[in-house]
Amino acid sequence: MKRLTNCIWPLLLLSFSACHSPSQATNHAQSATDEATQPQAGATKQAQTAPSAKSTSHAPTYHAIDMKSMNAASVNVYNGGYDDFVIEDITPILSDASSYSQKWEFYIYTRPYQTRIKFEISNFAFSKNEGKVKGYVKKFDGDKEIENYPISKSLKSGQWKASKSGLELDFGGYKLAFKDNAFHISGHFDDEKATFEYVLPTNTWKPGTGNVYFGNSENNVFKYSILTYQKPVTSGIIHKDGTDTPVTGTAYGNHYAATIAVYDMFDEVADSRKYTDDVFVEFRYYVPSAKYNAAPFGFLMVAFEGTPIFSASEINRTPLETWIDDKFYSYEIDSRQQIEATDADNPNNSAILRMTSAEPKPSDPCGTLPACQRSVASRFAK
């Protein structure tokens, strides 16, 4: 049975012991999460309390490995801490692997406009080298949403462009590029009558090297990196109805790439992220499939005002309540859990998080596919 815990949870508790951050960061983080300490309205009622919840302790380490000598059971995971960002981390792989998928996603919080945009390349099912853009532009009056413009576009191979030497994407007028030490994003909305342009200064973090290798091939890779912006440094211009509106605010972004199917890599996936004001938290936890015979691994990163102040890959995860999806693929979803993380380089630095999720609303992931594609995809669904 696969286990999936893939929600954006409220953080119930965030605490540090001898953290190497400014002292005010801890107080700020605690006050920012106090409002989430009450149970959520509509929380799952059918959650099953685990009779003897177990936590998995692990301290993955990283060392140089000759890829040619790796055996089929090898998994080379993140090391503790993080490495410096290089452009190769986010350059399109453009792999021919049947399970290749790569995405660049950004949430840009400004007023009066808010934008989410995701660029994706994948070889899923019959859509080899398909490009997709999804997201929205929303307009607010204070904190009230008054307009919502969805973004959705699919492009076949040859209808989109991607540089192989850096990050420069053009997906039918939606563009993402890394130049002049910043991310540049532009596109259109409202039936192409309006446009947006954003500049996001570089502020990139990745766990360890950012890469996890599976098996005996360097081509079987799982890549991950995140962009954190907690200061109002993101700038942009919204052009709508003949008016240019300059905007500033904060932004979040992530990059993901894999050349091997998620269900082949992992039996269990858990992740969460949260940021309020100046505090950003991201947690990820993976249990490799039995075929790889490898220990669980993951990371926890906490940033204050855009700067990482705590990171760890030594994690104890304790499920507290579990919800089982009996309708589709029998996934187990942990509706409550506790995370304990310790900095391997400095055991006095630690963090504890307690999280809960809203009531799951399961849906068939193949439900929107045409009948033929659905039949094929269902055969490989795990």
Side-chain angles (χ1 to χ4, degrees), residues 142-159:
D143 291 331
K144 181 181 179 181
E145 179 185 323
I146 57 176
E147 297 176 18
N148 187 339
Y149 303 96
I151 295 172
S152 181
K153 193 168 190 174
S154 295
L155 302 164
K156 296 180 179 180
S157 179
Q159 295 180 328

Side-chain angles (χ1 to χ4, degrees), residues 66-299:
D66 180 358
M67 299 305 302
K68 295 181 180 179
S69 68
M70 293 178 69
N71 59 51
S74 298
V75 177
N76 175 16
V77 303
Y78 307 125
N79 67 317
Y82 53 96
D83 287 355
D84 291 336
F85 162 76
V86 292
I87 188 61
E88 287 77 14
D89 293 331
I90 57 174
T91 298
I93 297 175
L94 302 179
S95 170
D96 290 329
S98 60
S99 297
Y100 167 57
S101 177
Q102 189 165 9
K103 72 175 183 179
W104 301 259
E105 184 174 21
F106 300 88
Y107 291 80
I108 303 169
Y109 296 93
T110 62
R111 284 293 186 268
Y113 292 96
Q114 175 179 311
T115 301
R116 176 199 175 192
I117 188 164
K118 178 173 71 173
F119 298 81
E120 183 175 4
I121 306 171
S122 68
N123 291 339
F124 178 69
F126 296 98
S127 303
K128 188 174 181 63
N129 281 328
E130 182 178 64
K132 293 182 179 179
V133 182
K134 292 185 177 181
Y136 57 73
V137 175
K138 296 180 178 179
K139 186 175 182 180
F140 289 79
D141 181 3
D143 291 331
K144 181 181 179 181
E145 179 185 323
I146 57 176
E147 297 176 18
N148 187 339
Y149 303 96
I151 295 172
S152 181
K153 193 168 190 174
S154 295
L155 302 164
K156 296 180 179 180
S157 179
Q159 295 180 328
W160 53 271
K161 299 178 182 178
S163 171
K164 296 182 179 180
S165 59
L167 179 61
E168 187 172 357
L169 307 177
D170 186 344
F171 283 26
Y174 296 95
K175 298 181 180 181
L176 168 63
F178 182 78
K179 57 185 179 181
D180 301 326
N181 207 34
F183 293 90
H184 296 253
I185 303 171
S186 61
H188 49 80
F189 63 101
D190 191 16
D191 297 326
E192 302 189 16
K193 293 181 292 186
T195 61
F196 58 83
E197 297 179 28
Y198 292 104
V199 178
L200 283 61
T202 306
N203 192 1
T204 306
W205 184 95
K206 58 181 178 178
T209 64
N211 300 328
V212 177
Y213 294 103
F214 288 79
N216 58 4
S217 172
E218 191 173 10
N219 293 325
N220 290 343
V221 64
F222 172 75
K223 300 168 67 76
Y224 195 77
S225 59
I226 58 182
L227 319 171
T228 64
Y229 308 98
Q230 293 302 323
K231 295 180 180 179
V233 294
T234 297
S235 62
I237 295 178
I238 307 296
H239 179 81
K240 189 175 186 300
D241 299 328
T243 301
D244 286 339
T245 304
V247 293
T248 59
T250 62
Y252 160 86
N254 71 52
H255 166 257
Y256 162 94
T259 56
I260 181 172
V262 172
Y263 64 76
D264 190 30
M265 290 187 287
F266 306 124
D267 281 338
E268 180 176 337
V269 176
D271 66 27
S272 67
R273 68 174 179 265
K274 170 83 173 184
Y275 64 89
T276 303
D277 298 327
D278 295 331
V279 177
F280 175 93
V281 179
E282 175 133 354
F283 158 74
R284 288 186 171 258
Y285 178 86
Y286 306 99
V287 178
S289 300
K291 64 182 288 187
Y292 293 108
N293 190 31
F297 65 91
F299 67 85

Side-chain angles (χ1 to χ4, degrees), residues 15 23 33 69 72 93 98 104 177 276 291 309 311 323 347 372:
S15 61
S23 59
T33 56
S69 68
I93 297 175
S98 60
W104 301 259
T276 303
K291 64 182 288 187
I309 60 174
S311 63
W323 181 91
C372 183

